[in-house]
Amino acid sequence: MYAGPLKMAKLRTGIISAIDIGSSKICCLIAHMNAEGGIRIIGAAHQASAGVRNGAIIDMEAAQNSILTAISASEELAGERIDRVFVNLSAGAIYSHIQEIEVSIAGHEIAETDIQRARERNLQIQQPEDRDLIHCLPVGFSIDGKRGIRDPRGMFGEQLGVSFHRINAAPGPIRNLKNCVVRCHLDIEEVVVSSYASGLSCLVDDEKDLGVTLIDMGGGTTTLAVFYDGQVVYADSIPVGGSHVTNDVARGLSTPVSHAERMKILYGSAVASQSDENQVIDVPLVGEDDHNHPNHVPRSILISIIQPRIEETFELVRERLEFSGANRVSGRRLVLTGGACQLNGVPELAGTVLEKQVRVGRPLRISGLAEATSGPAFSTCAGLLRYGVEKYAGTIEDTPSNANTPASRITKISQWLKESF
């Protein structure tokens, strides 16, 4: 797939930093990047999140304090001060849309300037004001109607077609996110959709080429992305995450949220087993301090609360993939990442509901990550670093702007997938 012009003759060697602002934790990574595109972590810290719900800022001051705490700890470990960061976005009704642009090339050899003309025409299209553009990625080319061309430069024809994948979201959550980061005295390099960043971190090249679905299961949201032919061709977000499972347990068993989270991690599972009825769990009740009369429930009750919520999440993912048409290229491979995917039985349930081969994804091709920060919960933050390095190198040709997307995004992305694949 075409990667665009080399923006810099040599990849800038220096410091790169990223912040993952999630509903359950704030993570900050600081790294050295070298001229070969390598990433070495020199500072990593995470902090319990405050002021964030379902991926969106709901309390500016509380979120700001959590971000500053994570940044300060990461800077102290790195021995560096940062002023620019890549930031993730998982809220704001994320939308995917394929925009087809054609430019006349009048029979001459296709050059970089022709592709740039298509990009400029794409960004000039008037869109509704209720969407902000996050990503604008070329994902396919055609010459005189012939599709499947990876790099049109040096070829001849009359009409050059470029398919741009536009990912956008509601402006309110984006602006609140940016404002919160700016109040921490940081400039934002770019905002990157969480599932896209996680895919850059977790997926191998063969998966991205052959077709793969990535599901990033966070605390407040579940984001998904489909990669095909080396490019992300679909992205979406569902406002359900691991914290919803915890709240279900707390309500179902009348126990404090902190105890519900502990029980979910220690005893919870998304798949029932025959021994669940025989295992008994001590469940403290809300408002009761008398531990002389403990409340015991079988483990099967806990699992009967957890399983429906996880199953519902994967069914929503399946509906989004089918409705958008992205399931045509999503492949047989499913990669789960994010902290909530670590619950026992989640990969097995995902494979059953989505009928795919499942693996758990962790950050790849990054050195210096400690064991505590190398799991699925840190895929997004590591992916933000990977996005930044590839952006500097010119292998990602992304042009976000304040443009917006048409309301008919589902129809158009489905039609593009039918025609292209």
Side-chain angles (χ1 to χ4, degrees):
M1 180 63 68
Y2 165 74
L6 184 61
K7 293 188 172 184
M8 308 177 72
K10 187 177 182 180
L11 182 63
R12 179 168 67 98
T13 301
I15 301 296
I16 185 171
S17 53
I19 298 178
D20 173 5
I21 301 176
S23 303
S24 58
K25 73 175 189 320
I26 309 290
C27 175
C28 179
L29 294 179
I30 303 174
H32 274 303
M33 56 181 181
N34 60 37
E36 289 73 38
I39 300 174
R40 181 173 60 85
I41 303 298
I42 59 174
H46 55 96
Q47 165 74 19
S49 183
V52 184
R53 181 183 298 165
N54 294 348
I57 306 292
I58 60 169
D59 185 327
M60 193 70 69
E61 184 174 353
Q64 180 183 343
N65 290 336
S66 295
I67 293 170
L68 285 171
T69 300
I71 291 172
S72 298
S74 188
E75 287 179 331
E76 185 174 350
L77 288 171
E80 299 279 356
R81 289 289 177 264
I82 60 174
D83 55 10
R84 303 186 66 84
V85 292
F86 289 88
V87 184
N88 69 307
L89 176 73
S90 56
I94 294 169
Y95 291 94
S96 269
H97 164 66
I98 298 295
Q99 182 75 56
E100 299 278 2
I101 299 294
E102 283 198 349
V103 294
S104 174
I105 50 179
H108 67 71
E109 181 178 342
I110 298 173
E112 179 62 42
T113 53
D114 298 308
I115 299 171
Q116 187 59 33
R117 279 196 296 129
R119 182 182 301 279
E120 291 171 356
R121 185 173 298 181
N122 178 39
L123 294 175
Q124 289 171 359
I125 296 176
Q126 293 295 320
Q127 311 288 354
E129 296 181 356
D130 61 345
R131 292 287 178 265
D132 279 359
L133 187 65
I134 308 301
H135 300 289
C136 180
L137 302 155
V139 295
F141 297 91
S142 65
I143 297 177
D144 298 337
K146 183 178 180 180
R147 295 182 176 273
I149 296 172
R150 284 178 172 263
D151 188 347
R153 292 173 296 179
M155 303 177 73
F156 293 84
E158 297 296 328
Q159 291 286 329
L160 169 66
V162 186
S163 299
F164 290 98
H165 181 201
R166 303 166 68 99
I167 306 176
N168 38 48
I174 300 172
R175 293 168 190 174
N176 290 335
L177 178 70
K178 291 180 176 180
N179 186 37
C180 189
V181 174
V182 168
R183 287 174 59 168
C184 296
H185 310 290
L186 295 170
D187 293 327
I188 296 177
E189 289 273 10
E190 273 188 40
V191 175
V192 184
V193 169
S194 294
S195 56
Y196 179 27
S198 295
L200 295 176
S201 169
C202 294
L203 300 178
V204 299
D205 290 341
D206 283 345
E207 287 174 327
K208 289 189 285 186
D209 287 337
L210 297 174
V212 63
T213 303
L214 179 129
I215 301 178
D216 188 339
M217 303 180 69
T221 60
T222 296
T223 57
L224 59 145
V226 173
F227 288 76
Y228 180 77
D229 204 15
Q231 301 292 322
V232 58
V233 297
Y234 176 71
D236 211 332
S237 175
I238 299 169
V240 179
S243 61
H244 295 80
V245 177
T246 302
N247 290 335
D248 287 348
V249 173
R251 283 190 290 265
L253 299 179
S254 298
T255 191
V257 173
S258 60
H259 288 287
E261 178 70 15
R262 177 179 177 274
M263 284 188 293
K264 181 185 78 172
I265 294 172
L266 292 179
Y267 308 110
S269 176
V271 178
S273 68
Q274 294 180 349
S275 62
D276 294 337
E277 194 68 35
N278 300 325
Q279 186 174 357
V280 176
I281 303 172
D282 182 14
V283 182
L285 296 177
V286 173
E288 293 192 8
D289 297 327
D290 184 7
H291 298 291
N292 295 323
H293 299 86
N295 177 42
H296 296 299
V297 300
R299 183 170 181 255
S300 59
I301 299 294
L302 174 64
I303 293 175
S304 70
I305 296 171
I306 293 173
Q307 184 174 356
R309 177 68 81 172
I310 302 294
E311 191 170 358
E312 176 199 27
T313 303
F314 290 132
E315 286 174 348
L316 288 171
V317 169
R318 184 181 60 191
E319 290 174 4
R320 299 289 178 94
L321 292 174
E322 292 174 351
F323 187 51
S324 67
N327 61 329
R328 294 174 177 270
V329 296
S330 61
R332 290 278 298 154
R333 193 71 165 166
L334 171 64
V335 176
L336 296 177
T337 193
C341 83
Q342 299 175 93
L343 182 68
N344 288 334
V346 167
E348 291 80 2
L349 185 58
T352 301
V353 174
L354 296 169
E355 299 178 339
K356 294 180 183 292
Q357 301 168 347
V358 183
R359 76 172 178 89
V360 174
R362 294 173 173 80
L364 303 172
R365 303 180 298 278
I366 293 181
S367 63
L369 274 176
E371 185 176 352
T373 54
S374 61
F378 298 89
S379 295
T380 296
C381 204
L384 292 171
L385 296 177
R386 175 57 58 190
Y387 178 94
V389 169
E390 294 189 14
K391 182 79 175 187
Y392 286 137
T395 54
I396 288 180
E397 191 65 15
D398 190 359
T399 311
S401 73
N402 292 323
N404 302 297
T405 192
S408 58
R409 55 109 182 182
I410 289 293
T411 303
K412 293 194 173 184
I413 194 169
S414 180
Q415 183 65 30
W416 178 79
L417 289 166
K418 289 178 182 177
E419 293 177 356
S420 300
F421 309 108

